[in-house]
Amino acid sequence: RKEVEQDPGPFNVPEGATVAFNCTYSNSASQSFFWYRQDCRKEPKLLMSVYSSGNEDGRFTAQLNRASQYISLLIRDSKLSDSATYLCVVNTPGTYKYIFGTGTRLKVLA
Amino acid sequence: NAGVMQNPRHLVRRRGQEARLRCSPMKGHSHVYWYRQLPEEGLKFMVYLQKENIIDESGMPKERFSAEFPKEGPSILRIQQVVRGDSAAYFCASSPLGSGGQETQYFGPGTRLLVL
């Protein structure tokens, strides 16, 4: 089983739609979770950290479910500019490695 | 405040040559991470360095690859005798502290290596 798994997509959604991605992780000791966004041929950029109680940043909401070992990202009112690959990132305490998922591609259509 | 800088942005090498990739962390950051991204794949951790120290190189191939972060100057990822399979995007990230990975990592624009 991969350490971090994501549905590769693509998710094709119309502008204004709500879309959600899940990401599962295998190490129950994982403590830090992040969503990064990567545009084609660009570097990953931090979208948001994921906190235990869930957190929201504008149109973006991140949730953590420790019991089922997954994190989620919800995007409301999708914009064309949201089209990108969304990377789930997990870190385990005591290590310095970020474990990246392979990403979920989102295409927002006009 | 300049971000993480990497150079060159694109590098073409023939099989057997050496590739040197440079990374200057953000100002105030003393921790550097190198990742490799193959086409259509996720980023894979290679090595984590602090100034003058390699902390974790568990993701780096045992042969041909080496990394350093000297007291002065950028971090260098060196690939000797490159092969076609080394063609990838190599990203560097930095963080101000390396407290067990709790710190956010900020990524540079990457170096795209093409081996002919």
Side-chain angles (χ1 to χ4, degrees):
Chain A
R1 182 184 173 187
K2 287 184 180 179
E3 291 179 273
V4 177
E5 289 199 75
Q6 294 183 254
D7 181 342
F11 284 58
N12 296 323
V13 302
E15 268 188 294
T18 295
V19 61
F21 313 132
N22 279 349
C23 164
T24 58
Y25 59 95
S26 61
N27 191 333
S28 59
S30 298
Q31 292 290 332
S32 301
F33 309 90
F34 309 88
W35 283 103
Y36 275 73
R37 169 195 169 129
Q38 186 174 28
D39 292 286
C40 187
R41 299 186 66 75
K42 299 283 189 180
E43 73 273 24
K45 292 187 177 176
L46 179 67
L47 183 63
M48 57 198 305
S49 302
V50 185
Y51 302 124
S52 296
S53 55
N55 47 300
E56 188 174 304
D57 182 0
R59 298 182 294 108
F60 299 85
T61 301
Q63 297 275 355
L64 168 63
N65 185 317
R66 285 192 185 277
S68 300
Q69 293 183 208
Y70 75 84
I71 64 173
S72 64
L73 177 67
L74 180 80
I75 305 175
R76 289 182 298 277
D77 188 23
S78 299
K79 313 289 185 192
L80 293 175
S81 57
D82 293 334
S83 297
T85 297
Y86 290 83
L87 305 173
C88 169
V89 184
V90 175
N91 171 269
T92 303
T95 76
Y96 303 94
K97 291 180 273 194
Y98 271 16
I99 308 299
F100 280 78
T102 52
T104 298
R105 286 180 63 196
L106 171 66
K107 292 184 182 179
V108 180
L109 308 171
Chain B
N1 189 10
V4 179
M5 293 190 290
Q6 290 187 247
N7 68 81
R9 296 288 302 274
H10 300 273
L11 183 61
V12 180
R13 285 287 177 267
R14 297 192 181 280
R15 281 179 296 170
Q17 291 184 320
E18 178 180 289
R20 280 187 179 233
L21 288 61
R22 295 175 189 77
C23 169
S24 296
M26 284 179 73
K27 188 176 180 181
H29 288 193
S30 57
H31 299 256
V32 166
Y33 312 79
W34 284 94
Y35 294 83
R36 176 165 65 177
Q37 186 174 33
L38 295 169
E40 305 301 322
E41 292 190 15
L43 278 76
K44 295 284 191 270
F45 168 83
M46 298 181 74
V47 61
Y48 162 51
L49 310 103
Q50 296 175 23
K51 284 282 186 182
E52 300 184 278
N53 284 307
I54 297 174
I55 307 302
D56 183 342
E57 56 182 349
S58 59
M60 204 147 69
K62 294 287 187 286
E63 297 178 352
R64 303 188 297 108
F65 285 73
S66 62
E68 62 177 6
F69 190 13
K71 188 176 179 182
E72 302 290 337
S75 174
I76 307 280
L77 179 68
R78 183 181 176 207
I79 311 173
Q80 295 177 290
Q81 299 176 322
V82 295
V83 300
R84 289 214 173 108
D86 296 333
S87 296
Y90 292 82
F91 289 100
C92 166
S94 73
S95 67
L97 298 170
S99 54
Q102 308 296 320
E103 292 286 330
T104 299
Q105 296 180 13
Y106 297 87
F107 284 81
T111 294
R112 279 163 181 79
L113 172 65
L114 175 63
V115 179
L116 301 176

